[in-house]
Amino acid sequence: MSILFLSYDERAPRWLPHLEAAMPGREIQVWPEVEDLARVRYAVVCQPPAGVLKQCPNLEAVFSMWAGIDHLKSDPERPPEIPVVRMVERGLSTGMCEYVTMQVLFHHRRMLDYREQQARAEWKPLPLVPAWTRTVGIMGFGELGQLAAEKLVGLELQVAGWSRSPKSMDGVACYHGEDGLDAFLARSEILVCLLPLTEATRGVLNAQLFAKLPRGACLINAARGGHLVEADLLAALDSGQLDSASLDVFDPEPLPSDHPFWSHPRIVLTPHVAAGTLPETASQSIAANIARHERGEPFDAVVDFSLGY
Ligand code: NDP
Ligand code: OXD
């Protein structure tokens, strides 16, 4: 029984040596040069082409190469009864922790203001705000949100998390659900979005939400472009309700070259690089999950399609 690697060609050479090392002896078929789809038991996919998965009669699980599963929409014929496993792996987690920590500190230490002052050759120290008085809110307090929170707590920032279901973590104020949202927002001077993109979260970063943040708050969106209502962000920056934003994700990607975000003085922009799945550590994570399944244990990180993540 084999593994199907189902993505566009350029990814395969980066992944194959690591999948082979993590699962020695297991056959790996690389789409489109597949020998026999009936031998496929597991598929490792990114933006899978439409109609291939449904031709695998012995498929037991689909492993998403990404944490987000919105890319699976490329295959509307994906067999709905086959479990999908989200990507949870060390490379992705450490990358996101780095990005969130870097952007939070960037705004906490007012680097955008210093960059503007530098452009004017202006020497002007701004007041220092102690970390333990700076409030950071993480929307989406799951795998990545919780790991990022640990790093921020280590820097003595005042961290809160917001999730769908109740959570608890030492040193973090945890809020959940619609009922917990307003109180969470009211104490978030720096708001980090790490939500999955679902029907419930699309467009969540909008004027109504921005109005509930402390005036002059900063937004960091490392989740998906579909979370953000772009016109509302521009209006909130213009009015001063938001001070600045760091954006890593857009809808569509790449961001069109004439988009106003590119030249906005209060926006820091990166091209969806906050974190990336590392084939080496991701292959180990997939191998461990397959081993768990073959011992008769449930897969880790299975997507609940009734929730959309
Ligand atoms: P998880 O599934 O582990 O965590 C998602 C969190 O969001 C959970 O805490 C969940 O609540 C919460 N959540 C979901 N829906 C709602 C809702 N309606 N209201 C309140 N909270 C909600 O995902 P990950 O942490 O692994 O990844 C998060 C997202 O980050 C990915 O979906 C992806 O889009 C993005 N990402 C971006 C990358 C980049 O490079 N920019 C890289 C990797 C990921 P609960 O805990 O109760 O389930
Ligand atoms: C992911 C991403 O979802 O890289 O893994 O955006």
Side-chain angles (χ1 to χ4, degrees):
M1 290 302 239
S2 63
I3 290 178
L4 173 65
F5 187 87
L6 184 57
S7 174
Y8 45 93
D9 281 355
E10 70 196 43
R11 288 178 195 271
R14 288 197 288 123
W15 276 78
L16 283 188
H18 300 297
L19 285 170
E20 281 161 4
M23 290 171 281
R26 197 172 296 255
E27 181 191 43
I28 301 175
Q29 302 189 53
V30 180
W31 185 85
E33 271 114 39
V34 287
E35 276 186 18
D36 183 5
L37 288 176
R39 289 209 299 272
V40 171
R41 192 159 164 191
Y42 309 107
V44 177
V45 311
C46 188
Q47 296 162 322
V52 180
L53 291 172
K54 76 169 184 194
Q55 296 173 53
C56 304
N58 297 306
L59 187 63
E60 290 181 22
V62 172
F63 288 88
S64 164
M65 284 184 221
W66 288 2
I69 51 142
D70 34 320
H71 68 101
L72 297 179
K73 284 196 202 102
S74 60
D75 182 6
E77 298 160 66
R78 177 179 54 78
E81 71 284 4
I82 305 296
V84 172
V85 178
R86 302 182 306 106
M87 183 51 73
V88 175
E89 66 94 14
R90 186 177 166 202
L92 203 52
S93 312
T94 53
M96 189 56 84
C97 287
E98 287 169 9
Y99 175 84
V100 171
T101 308
M102 171 177 72
Q103 295 299 341
V104 166
L105 289 178
F106 183 88
H107 293 287
H108 169 56
R109 297 301 303 262
R110 301 186 59 176
M111 283 306 298
L112 217 42
D113 297 322
Y114 284 119
R115 277 177 41 172
E116 286 180 4
Q117 290 184 192
Q118 183 176 345
R120 297 191 295 268
E122 184 181 2
W123 181 276
K124 184 177 155 203
L126 301 168
L128 277 170
V129 176
W132 56 88
T133 68
R134 175 73 76 200
T135 53
V136 182
I138 303 183
M139 284 188 97
F141 203 53
E143 191 65 37
L144 300 175
Q146 292 186 28
L147 288 168
E150 274 175 27
K151 305 290 179 208
L152 300 178
V153 168
L155 293 169
E156 297 197 38
L157 290 148
Q158 290 293 325
V159 182
W162 183 70
S163 49
R164 195 183 46 78
S165 57
K167 296 275 180 294
S168 72
M169 183 188 278
D170 277 354
V172 176
C174 292
Y175 300 82
H176 68 277
E178 285 304 312
D179 291 349
L181 184 57
D182 288 6
F184 163 81
L185 294 172
R187 48 96 66 221
S188 295
E189 293 171 307
I190 301 176
L191 181 71
V192 181
C193 181
L194 279 174
L195 287 164
L197 185 61
T198 67
E199 279 175 32
T201 65
R202 183 176 289 281
V204 67
L205 301 174
N206 58 34
Q208 254 188 321
L209 179 143
F210 298 148
K212 293 174 181 168
L213 293 167
R215 187 162 176 82
C218 305
L219 170 70
I220 298 170
N221 186 15
R224 285 292 181 265
H227 289 120
L228 177 66
V229 179
E230 295 185 347
D232 290 3
L233 172 62
L234 292 171
L237 291 169
D238 279 355
S239 72
Q241 175 57 20
L242 287 187
D243 171 79
S244 47
S246 294
L247 306 176
D248 182 60
V249 284
F250 305 90
D251 184 16
E253 292 180 358
L255 185 68
S257 57
D258 59 352
H259 197 286
F261 285 175
W262 282 111
S263 55
H264 197 290
R266 303 304 293 176
I267 291 179
V268 177
L269 192 156
T270 44
H272 199 146
V273 291
T277 303
L278 293 188
E280 182 174 0
T281 39
S283 298
Q284 290 160 5
S285 163
I286 292 168
N289 225 342
I290 288 177
R292 196 173 294 122
H293 169 70
E294 294 185 350
R295 287 194 302 269
E297 296 166 24
F299 288 115
D300 259 354
V302 175
V303 174
D304 180 342
F305 280 97
S306 69
L307 296 172
Y309 69 100

